[in-house]
Amino acid sequence: MDVRAGAGVCCGASVDCERCVVRPIAVCGALGREHMAEIATIAAERRLAAGQAVFDEGEIADSVFTLTSGMLKLYKTTRDGRRQITGFLLPGDFLGISFDRNYVYSAEAIVGSTVCRFGRRPFTALLERHPQLEHSLLGRALTELAAAQEQLLLLGRKSARERVASFLLGLCRRLGVIEGGRVQLLMSRGDIADFIGTRVETVSRVLGALSRGGVISMPSSHDVVIASWRRLQQEAGP
Amino acid sequence: MDVRAGAGVCCGASVDCERCVVRPIAVCGALGREHMAEIATIAAERRLAAGQAVFDEGEIADSVFTLTSGMLKLYKTTRDGRRQITGFLLPGDFLGISFDRNYVYSAEAIVGSTVCRFGRRPFTALLERHPQLEHSLLGRALTELAAAQEQLLLLGRKSARERVASFLLGLCRRLGVIEGGRVQLLMSRGDIADFIGTRVETVSRVLGALSRGGVISMPSSHDVVIASWRRLQQEAGP
DNA sequence: CGCTCAATTGAGCACTTTCAACGCAAGTGG
DNA sequence: CCACTTGCGTTGAAAGTGCTCAATTGAGCG
């Protein structure tokens, strides 16, 4: 499959998409700027405080969103309180796209965030008018699928130490952090644990061990400096 | 998102798609029969023996496939031999669709199978001519994504007993097996283990325990009869 | 300053893995 | 036709990793 013009491209969190009241940057990236006016008519900005839900698993899926600033977590919960975070979203990412009637996961802001809401019907209509947008969405879905499969490998076959290292590595890659750079862990230890399938205590211990081993350093509990990219890769396992 | 005509529909393994040399039943289901002739011109059937690979992770992704009979496993492998099976494919499922240059997982037949091969370029061209096929593929990708997220929950948060029960339950659902019915486990214990993130010994022990507990019965090591659907659901956890 | 919530640290334990042996069925070659 | 091999599944005992529970420290805030 070829990546057609615009597919998978995203303006990036820091780019202002013209003088749009809403900033549906992901859609902007996929469709190109010529359709900004059209997009603006069906989109509405929504501000979210840290901890605020976008939607919950099981709700009627009547909206589609793109994250325009901040960070979200997507997760599934069981009746008895177990939780699995399936991903952390960065600006430009979509959420809530589904052919089902209901959302199959919950979404919640980790820090103050803004999303851009599209009604499901107008969004569907937009897709029908612009097949290249649907092509772009397919590309995104396939990328997410590949990421999920990578995470399956992590959860199914990696040790706690490898999981934490892999998590850090993945976060750095997405954020463009390089050796010597700093990653801000906006999420809590509990969130990390629920993402990599461990307990908070284990996350804490492994981070401590990596820090003591000189692989990383932690100026504060939510700031990680990558001391050695190579060693972190080794820790992340094969 | 609405499911448009034909999206996500599959003829089913037992349905013969007219007098087609190849039986690209999944594409048939998605596109409708009126395009069978067009599809047949770009597709080629390939027979696979049990254990034979369709493609390997890392290879140039120059083909797209649909499974027309048998069963495949998709998996990722690490350098040190660890393996994670990301899914088992049934007739009608696609594989190898990617916007990347290379395959990101390996695919191998579990039993004698037949696939239908499409060259990447002709397939891409087909998608361009038929936006509704791309829409259908998006639906499939989203379904697979939801399944992967369910599996993340299993791998990250469930006990060995719950994993095995969930696996059986999921397989029965896909195959349409009901209480009292029989599931054939075409895959080996090793495959099951690599799918649910345990060891073969654990799979064996849990299956034994479920059998002794009267939740299931095993006429042979590859045949499971669901004695109590309700209890199996309980075992599968919340 | 005292409160609260998050993160860390410690000790004991449970579940799954690891390692090893055995049974069984199918395939092979004399 | 039978001895032998090979692969897979099962079972047992020991070991280890990560979990549970509990206490302590630290950071943010009224």
Side-chain angles (χ1 to χ4, degrees), chain A residues 1 120 134-135 194 198, chain B residues 1 120 134-135 157 198:
Chain A
M1 243 102 317
R120 181 169 167 148
E134 193 148 61
H135 182 77
D194 283 345
T198 66
Chain B
M1 240 105 316
R120 181 170 168 148
E134 192 147 62
H135 181 78
R157 289 291 172 238
T198 65

Side-chain angles (χ1 to χ4, degrees), chain B residues 7-57:
Chain B
V9 177
C10 160
C11 293
S14 56
V15 179
D16 246 19
C17 279
E18 317 298 343
R19 302 179 5 77
C20 243
V21 178
V22 295
R23 276 164 296 161
I25 56 175
V27 178
C28 159
L31 264 184
R33 303 188 166 218
E34 62 269 29
H35 298 104
M36 282 308 298
E38 179 182 359
I39 292 170
T41 61
I42 66 166
E45 192 175 62
R46 181 185 295 180
R47 297 185 180 283
L48 300 161
Q52 196 178 345
V54 184
F55 53 76
D56 278 313
E57 188 176 354

